[in-house]
Amino acid sequence: MAHVITRPCCNDASCVSVCPVNCIHPTPDEPEFLTAEALYIDPETCIDCGACIDECPVEAILPDDQLTERDEPYLQINADYYKDHDVEGGLVPPRKSPQLPDKELHVAIIGAGPAAFYAAEELVRKQSIKVDMFDRLPTPYGLVRAGVAPDHAATKGVEKTFASVAAKKNFDYYLNVEVGKHISHDELVARYHAVIYAVGAATDKRLGIEGEDLRNSVAATQFVAWYNGHPDFADLDVDLSSERAVVVGNGNVALDVARILVTDPDELAKTDIADHALANLRESNIKEVVLLGRRGVAQAAYTNSEFLALGDVEGVDVVIDPEDLALDPATEAALADDTLDSTIATKIRLAREFTERPQTPGNKRIVFRFLTSPVEIAGDGEATALTCVRNAYTDASGRVAVMPTDERFDLETGLVLRAIGYRGVPVTDLPFDEGRGVVPNAGGRVQVAADGEVMPGLYVTGWIKRGATGGIGMNRLCGQETARAVIDDFVAGAIADPSTPRDDVAALVADRGANRIDLAGWKAIDAAEKSAGKAAGRARAKFVSISEFEAAATAGAQ
């Protein structure tokens, strides 16, 4: 018997370090880790010890004799990875930490998402390192709370890891505190040895087509925040009166949006979806969601696990026309001679299997249209149709590239959602690379400009460091790299001691109107949401206004 990694895998890689036979790959030390959709267990090497099960934060690992019918395909998906990846056995040795100077290190982390917590996790292992985490929202966890789809509860299991970090005595929360309003960048620099910005990518990429700003043309990033109860988007105008929605993009966010739009609201009512979103979805007229991908299926950005999971949504057909599955010549040749990367081969295999599935009259539909680009959103004040163009592969000297053809068609729709990626925005008082949407840095150390002079004591991690790519696993690697840069610089004497004690930070932000929420306040909010959810048979019922959060935090502290 072997163990199998299933859909919830977050690439956290906690399982890698505890495996005694090194049968889980790719490891963070392997190049493939940076682009891997998930981790995979080698069925030929696994000795069935079960150590990985206890370590997995999202409960994604199961013995193969305990797989449900829904999870059975992951047996093949795990095994397929090892068709073209040769790995060696043996436990991955732990990294030895350097000896720290005999004094405290004070670190401020701006942001409370996964990358922030993974940096904090690495830092608070040492009692002499004190971490204060700031976030303008009253709640921590960033996109784990406001980005992960409500019907993917298992993925949110990483919150347990973050909670254990926050429980450390050398960690403090400054939630509901906005840097730049309640405390300035310069005041942080004066009070901490190191300041780490983990502010993510706060806006969306645009299509750059006519009609994009019409009503009912919405960024998927905002739509996701809306149904997840983000306070900034609780009042977003979401019109679900049309029978068709079009999602431009085919990454995991696009799939999440499509799935939420067609899932039975009674099923969503069992999740932590925001109440206002659930009420709107109950009145929705949407029966079909069309997903547009500029390139072909082999280049689709979604992960195989998320694609496969669409087929399990009750009352929903996944529709793909076989003619839409054209491959570029290089991929076609590699597939034919069995040299194609296993992940891409699986992507193609799953898509072809979907084309053969029968459709059920009366079911809602998720329709994939590959090699298709939007050209214009039409409408008088609000979106009513989307004009699209068919694309074809073109010779690009070995690169997979597409170009538009003369074939155009219109899709009637009252809702267009662009899901083509997140983008970072400039951080006050830090340099910014407009082209990449990141703060220039070298391994997390902030630079004056790309390849320029390092700014001592200033660091970045997460999407603002590397761009809006990669999920939880990548953020762990990224956060650890930045934290180790801080520690290495501290050991080397490369960062100056603070000019002002940090003891006055709480009073300083309070004097400027911040109603700071600390660990006790967050625990009170968490308990109140869970209590309200329990009464309705849900994991939690989310608050969505700042006043509700503040009231819950205050009540819990009394």
Side-chain angles (χ1 to χ4, degrees):
M1 182 175 69
H3 286 68
V4 179
I5 297 178
T6 62
R7 189 211 60 78
C9 178
C10 66
N11 292 48
D12 170 273
S14 300
C15 54
V16 171
S17 60
V18 300
C19 178
V21 293
N22 194 24
C23 75
I24 305 174
H25 295 269
T27 71
D29 294 326
E30 295 170 341
E32 294 89 346
F33 184 84
L34 300 178
T35 55
E37 293 186 350
L39 304 183
Y40 307 94
I41 293 177
D42 182 1
E44 299 298 323
T45 308
C46 178
I47 61 173
D48 192 30
C49 68
C52 55
I53 292 179
D54 294 333
E55 199 68 21
C56 179
V58 295
E59 300 179 357
I61 306 176
L62 299 170
D64 61 11
D65 63 351
Q66 295 181 23
L67 294 174
T68 65
E69 183 178 351
R70 176 177 296 186
D71 290 328
E72 291 260 340
Y74 290 98
L75 273 169
Q76 188 65 48
I77 289 173
N78 277 250
D80 283 348
Y81 179 80
Y82 294 92
K83 289 181 178 179
D84 56 355
H85 292 83
D86 293 326
V87 295
E88 297 179 358
L91 185 64
V92 178
R95 180 184 186 273
K96 188 174 181 179
S97 299
Q99 183 66 40
L100 298 184
D102 189 21
K103 61 180 180 179
E104 289 188 349
L105 172 66
H106 299 164
V107 181
I109 300 180
I110 318 307
F117 269 101
Y118 285 125
E121 179 184 42
E122 190 76 7
L123 293 168
V124 297
R125 295 183 196 279
K126 300 289 188 180
Q127 285 298 310
S128 62
I129 301 179
K130 312 298 182 183
V131 173
D132 291 342
M133 183 174 285
F134 295 77
D135 199 287
R136 70 179 183 86
L137 294 177
T139 58
Y141 308 154
L143 284 181
V144 173
R145 178 180 171 98
V148 173
D151 58 346
H152 281 4
T155 304
K156 300 183 184 185
V158 294
E159 292 179 359
K160 292 180 288 187
T161 299
F162 303 159
S164 68
V165 173
K168 299 288 186 181
K169 291 183 179 180
N170 50 335
F171 179 99
D172 268 322
Y173 269 137
Y174 282 81
L175 302 174
N176 213 29
V177 175
E178 184 173 351
V179 173
K181 177 180 178 182
H182 301 123
I183 188 168
S184 71
H185 168 82
D186 288 343
E187 288 168 334
L188 289 171
V189 169
R191 288 164 173 78
Y192 294 88
H193 293 86
V195 180
I196 301 174
Y197 282 87
V199 294
T203 190
D204 63 287
K205 294 180 179 178
R206 293 179 62 83
L207 297 170
I209 63 175
E210 188 174 344
E212 188 170 8
D213 293 320
L214 289 171
R215 180 176 177 268
N216 300 341
S217 170
V218 182
T221 55
Q222 296 180 355
F223 184 72
V224 169
W226 171 76
Y227 65 60
N228 274 318
H230 192 297
D232 289 354
F233 299 97
D235 297 325
L236 184 70
D237 179 18
V238 179
D239 185 348
L240 305 180
S241 60
S242 171
E243 291 192 357
R244 176 188 288 138
V246 178
V247 181
V248 182
N250 58 16
N252 281 350
V253 171
L255 268 60
D256 282 346
V257 167
R259 192 181 63 255
I260 293 298
L261 283 169
V262 294
T263 295
D264 184 344
D266 287 341
E267 289 299 313
L268 293 175
K270 302 172 186 176
T271 74
D272 66 355
I273 191 170
D275 288 341
H276 59 255
L278 181 61
N280 201 343
L281 287 163
R282 286 194 183 280
E283 301 299 319
S284 171
N285 290 328
I286 291 175
K287 298 177 181 177
E288 178 180 279
V289 180
V290 179
L291 285 146
L292 304 183
R294 184 177 63 86
R295 299 195 295 173
V297 61
Q299 293 80 41
Y302 55 71
T303 58
N304 286 327
S305 58
E306 291 303 315
F307 186 44
L308 180 64
L310 287 182
D312 296 322
V313 182
E314 193 70 29
V316 176
D317 290 333
V318 177
V319 180
I320 305 176
D321 188 326
E323 293 185 2
D324 270 351
L325 298 183
L327 304 177
D328 62 281
T331 299
E332 188 78 69
L335 186 64
D337 62 20
D338 203 26
T339 59
L340 186 62
D341 177 88
S342 59
T343 300
I344 298 175
T346 299
K347 200 176 295 276
I348 296 167
R349 174 177 62 81
L350 293 175
R352 289 176 174 176
E353 289 175 359
F354 272 125
T355 68
E356 298 171 357
R357 290 194 182 192
Q359 297 179 37
T360 304
N363 272 6
K364 294 181 180 179
R365 293 155 46 97
I366 296 177
V367 181
F368 282 83
R369 298 294 299 266
F370 296 103
L371 291 168
T372 303
S373 295
V375 175
E376 178 185 352
I377 302 173
D380 183 11
E382 61 182 44
T384 57
L386 181 68
T387 300
C388 303
V389 61
R390 293 287 291 167
N391 298 324
Y393 291 110
T394 183
D395 181 18
S397 302
R399 291 190 306 109
V400 177
V402 296
M403 63 181 297
T405 68
D406 294 330
E407 182 183 347
R408 292 195 176 201
F409 62 94
D410 293 331
L411 287 170
E412 291 186 8
T413 178
L415 179 62
V416 178
L417 294 154
R418 59 183 182 274
I420 56 174
Y422 291 73
R423 178 178 169 79
V425 297
V427 179
T428 302
D429 298 313
L430 294 186
F432 191 70
D433 183 335
E434 287 286 353
R436 298 178 56 218
V438 301
V439 171
N441 69 93
R445 297 175 176 91
V446 174
Q447 296 175 297
V448 176
D451 301 322
E453 181 183 354
V454 167
M455 303 176 71
L458 295 180
Y459 304 82
V460 285
T461 188
W463 285 358
I464 197 63
K465 169 185 173 183
R466 66 182 193 276
T469 59
I472 290 170
M474 177 67 76
N475 278 316
R476 184 178 195 187
L477 198 64
C478 184
Q480 289 174 339
E481 180 187 54
T482 295
R484 289 167 184 168
V486 172
I487 292 172
D488 289 346
D489 289 351
F490 182 51
V491 171
I495 48 180
D497 289 335
S499 60
T500 303
R502 82 190 216 286
D503 302 349
D504 69 341
V505 172
L508 181 66
V509 300
D511 286 345
R512 293 176 182 167
N515 188 356
R516 174 200 174 189
I517 293 174
D518 57 12
L519 178 59
W522 161 239
K523 284 185 173 180
I525 292 169
D526 188 42
E529 289 187 335
K530 288 178 177 176
S531 177
K534 185 177 181 180
R538 308 167 64 186
R540 70 172 67 235
K542 288 181 175 177
F543 299 126
V544 297
S545 72
I546 301 299
S547 59
E548 288 178 316
F549 288 116
E550 292 178 342
T554 301
Q558 294 175 348

